[in-house]
Amino acid sequence: WDDFYGYGGYEEGDEYEAIHERDQVYLEDITIPKAIHSDGKEYAVTSIGAKAFVGSFRYRKISLPETITYIGDYAFYQRKIEEISLPDSVTGMGIGVFEDTEVEGELVFPASIDTVPYHTFYRTAVQRLVIPDTVTRLERYAVMLDRYPAEAWYPAGDWYPEYSKKIEVVLSKNLKEAGECAFYASPYFCTVKLTGKGGNVIEDGVLFNKKKTELILALEAKTGDYHIPKTVRRIHAYAFSAVSQGVEPTNSATGRIWIPEGVKVLEKGTFRNCFWLKSLSLPSTIERIEAGAWSCISLDQPNTGNGLRNLVIKAKTPPEIVGRQKTLRYINVPNRSLDEYKEVLSGKIGYKKLY
């Protein structure tokens, strides 16, 4: 096959892997065959090797056959592709498959895979991205979209100006779990909708389950006041961890969030890196605060917002504190429980004033 050096990864069952494409700057259409012939034998092409398309610049169209079942790590890393379709025969995928890649048309994740792996669409620029109903989980940093086209850099000092053409993201209505910073599609250059009705719902830039008892994922930062709906009983780990990507770090941010009664656990990394969040109110039902609930990477940058400053805990019995949390300015607790809180918070949450 002229466009490829060869095939490797020979496995039992006469299967081959497309491993490396020739180092050419401009290629037109690439069609990977269903099979190749060698020494009178036929070998099915069943996978795309790691970094298979690294080494050239732009493709008009890449066609993958239905025989492909696996796409390796960083297979299309830093490429420009006008058109590509991923067949539903793909049942496995490595990490970073489309990292730093620009796709001019629509990109549909295979319906045969239920998890979007780490860095699959990290800094990916695409006109339309579809994550189908079959996807129930996003691994950390799975979807971190870049503006489209990727060359549209912002003017100096200008944060995310409006573009006439926004990226359309169609997100699985059946998503149940998301890792740290798993999904970021800035409202400045993206619109997000669900694959249909009957599953999750989006309200005020936040993804909930159908009954709104679980807050799964925040899709945008809450730089003002936000009362989480009273129906919510669980806020997923890392739920707000990605949304700071589109907010300018500044001390003037005044985000305040109220968590409703009935929520018992503030899960791991819920408000990680939310430097826009300045005040958080926990309900009387809170029983546990997990590690890194409001940690913020801007702590060593004194000229930027340093995240949460003021915490209100309404619970009469101090919640269990897991690990050491970021130091706060003020913590307000029930007056009758003040001494008990001093003991529980010692060595766990630093503060300037407890009252």
Side-chain angles (χ1 to χ4, degrees):
W1 185 24
D2 290 339
D3 289 325
F4 282 75
Y5 281 126
Y7 294 86
Y10 173 63
E11 301 174 359
E12 184 179 356
D14 296 337
E15 297 178 352
Y16 264 90
E17 174 184 27
I19 58 170
H20 201 297
E21 119 317 317
R22 195 174 279 171
D23 188 12
Q24 300 180 29
V25 175
Y26 293 100
L27 292 175
E28 290 296 317
D29 293 353
I30 292 290
T31 300
I32 298 176
K34 294 181 179 179
I36 62 168
H37 296 83
S38 178
D39 297 329
K41 295 186 66 176
E42 181 177 281
Y43 301 96
V45 179
T46 60
S47 62
I48 307 297
K51 299 183 179 179
F53 285 82
V54 173
S56 64
F57 184 65
R58 189 182 189 94
Y59 302 94
R60 188 172 69 185
K61 182 178 181 180
I62 298 178
S63 300
L64 307 183
E66 292 291 338
T67 56
I68 297 294
T69 59
Y70 184 80
I71 300 176
D73 295 352
Y74 304 103
F76 303 103
Y77 177 67
Q78 289 188 334
R79 297 304 98 221
K80 288 191 176 184
I81 304 168
E82 293 184 17
E83 182 182 346
I84 184 170
S85 296
L86 304 179
D88 286 340
S89 59
V90 177
T91 56
M93 187 176 288
I95 66 174
V97 170
F98 289 98
E99 180 172 339
D100 282 328
T101 301
E102 182 176 328
V103 179
E104 294 188 10
E106 179 182 72
L107 187 53
V108 181
F109 189 77
S112 46
I113 305 178
D114 63 5
T115 298
V116 181
Y118 171 77
H119 271 218
T120 297
F121 302 111
Y122 186 75
R123 295 195 301 259
T124 302
V126 60
Q127 287 189 4
R128 188 172 190 262
L129 176 65
V130 179
I131 300 176
D133 285 347
T134 50
V135 171
T136 58
R137 183 172 181 266
L138 303 178
E139 291 188 356
R140 63 192 186 99
Y141 297 97
V143 182
M144 302 286 283
L145 296 181
D146 207 341
R147 56 230 165 271
Y148 181 86
E151 291 90 346
W153 300 104
Y154 313 126
D158 201 356
W159 281 77
Y160 296 93
E162 291 289 341
Y163 289 103
S164 58
K165 192 168 188 177
K166 289 192 173 185
I167 298 171
E168 182 181 46
V169 183
V170 183
L171 183 62
S172 169
K173 67 181 181 182
N174 296 318
L175 187 67
K176 292 180 173 60
E177 183 182 354
E180 179 183 0
C181 296
F183 183 90
Y184 170 67
S186 170
Y188 290 96
F189 55 79
C190 297
T191 59
V192 181
K193 64 180 182 180
L194 296 174
T195 49
K197 297 181 179 180
N200 295 337
V201 295
I202 295 176
E203 183 179 288
D204 295 330
V206 178
L207 180 70
F208 301 93
N209 68 339
K210 183 178 180 180
K211 295 182 179 180
K212 289 178 64 176
T213 57
E214 297 184 21
L215 190 159
I216 301 171
L217 195 63
L219 305 178
E220 60 185 47
K222 299 299 180 183
T223 53
D225 291 357
Y226 180 60
H227 292 262
I228 293 174
K230 295 180 179 180
T231 54
V232 170
R233 293 296 176 266
R234 181 194 174 195
I235 303 171
H236 285 222
Y238 302 111
F240 288 82
S241 63
V243 293
S244 292
Q245 301 290 323
V247 182
E248 181 178 6
T250 170
N251 283 313
S252 64
T254 57
R256 297 189 297 177
I257 290 182
W258 285 263
I259 294 178
E261 295 294 326
V263 173
K264 296 182 178 181
V265 179
L266 188 60
E267 297 190 18
K268 181 179 180 180
T270 300
F271 297 103
R272 178 173 170 78
N273 298 338
C274 293
F275 49 75
W276 46 266
L277 178 63
K278 302 305 178 187
S279 178
L280 178 65
S281 178
L282 303 181
S284 64
T285 53
I286 200 74
E287 297 177 355
R288 177 182 170 92
I289 298 175
E290 296 188 347
W294 54 76
S295 59
C296 192
I297 60 173
S298 63
L299 289 175
D300 296 327
Q301 302 175 26
N303 294 323
T304 65
N306 286 335
L308 188 64
R309 299 174 182 175
N310 307 317
L311 178 67
V312 176
I313 308 177
K314 298 178 182 179
K316 294 180 180 179
T317 301
E320 176 189 3
I321 312 294
V322 179
R324 183 172 176 81
Q325 305 288 342
K326 172 186 174 291
T327 298
L328 305 175
R329 289 188 180 180
Y330 305 106
I331 302 179
N332 179 224
V333 301
N335 189 54
R336 293 182 179 180
S337 306
L338 195 59
D339 291 338
E340 191 176 356
Y341 266 94
K342 286 181 180 179
E343 182 177 349
V344 170
L345 297 180
S346 178
K348 295 290 187 178
I349 304 178
Y351 54 85
K352 291 186 177 180
K353 183 178 180 180
L354 178 68
Y355 66 102

